[in-house]
Each structure stands twice: as C-alpha cells, then as structure tokens.
Amino acid sequence: MSQPHDLRNAGLKATLPRLKIINVFEQSRQRHLTAEDVYRQLLSDGLDVGLATVYRVLTQFEQAGLLVRHHFEGGREGGRALFELNEGSHHDHLVCLTCGRVEEFYDAEIEKRQAKIARERGFEISEHALYLYADCTKPRCPHKKSGGQ
C-alpha cells in the first residue's frame, strides 16, 4: 500500500480514501481503470466512499502528477476517461475497438520518426500521445465478450 509520505510529497494530505484509491492502482492487474472501476473495487473492499469522492480524488491525483488520464475512443470504454499510474516513462497505446482492451507499447523507431517529422515542419515536440485503434485478430481472445470465442 502507498505510504502517506508519497501523497505528502505530491502535496496531498494522506486521508484514508486517498490511500485506498492509490492502492487500487498499485494492486490492480489492470493498468487502465475508470472511476467506476475504482469505485466498485472500493465497495468490494468494504470502504464506504461515494463516486463523487472517487472522481474528486482521481482529479487531484492527476493534477499532482500521480496519475495520467486518457480518453480512448471506441471499444468498451467509448470515450470515457481511464487513469493509470504515472510511472514516468513514455509509452503508447493499442486500443481494441471490440472489447476496449488497452495494451501499452514503446517503439524507438516510431519516436524518432515523430521527432523527425516535427523538426522537418518546424516544430519541437514537448509531449504527445499515440493511440492506435484496432480490432484484435487473436482467434481466442479472452477479452472478447461475444459468445463462441
């Protein structure tokens, strides 16, 4: 579980809801969570926290740099915000349009190409996000919800 000093270093008081919410991200096997995912996990852990509190804490964590917010289009999440721990390393995302599964990847060649394109056009990249939307082609994808998989 996150230590209280981690939150204090981010300028936040270490309240029980904040500690529990950051712990959900640290313990989850799924890296990208919606506010509703966090809320359901807290309820299943027996913590009586309102959904509005979850939203407020997630926004505070994003502003403090503890979490990164993404708005993936299509798929199961259909434009809803997903959050992940900010671990300080850049990566891009593949998003399945069928089930909404998100896979992270890093490709040095893609990064070099983007910087080269920006330079050729008179830009210097300060930050970017690359989301590739695709359909999973795995014959027995465990994340597809339809029957017969």
Side-chain angles (χ1 to χ4, degrees), residues 26-103:
E26 291 172 341
Q27 301 300 316
S28 178
R29 290 174 38 184
Q30 187 178 343
R31 285 195 36 87
H32 303 88
L33 301 170
T34 64
E36 292 80 9
D37 294 333
V38 173
Y39 176 69
R40 281 191 297 274
Q41 182 60 50
L42 294 173
L43 287 180
S44 74
D45 290 348
L47 189 63
D48 186 22
V49 174
L51 185 57
T53 298
V54 171
Y55 275 106
R56 186 175 59 255
V57 170
L58 292 176
T59 298
Q60 292 167 348
F61 285 176
E62 179 192 11
Q63 291 170 346
L66 298 172
L67 296 179
V68 177
R69 180 190 307 243
H70 299 283
H71 291 280
F72 300 124
E73 300 299 325
R76 134 184 114 82
E77 298 308 333
R80 290 173 30 197
L82 282 100
F83 297 84
E84 70 174 305
L85 283 175
N86 182 358
E87 295 176 335
S89 62
H90 172 76
H91 57 267
D92 297 309
H93 297 88
L94 273 164
V95 182
C96 179
L97 292 169
T98 305
C99 70
R101 178 172 167 78
V102 177
E103 289 193 21

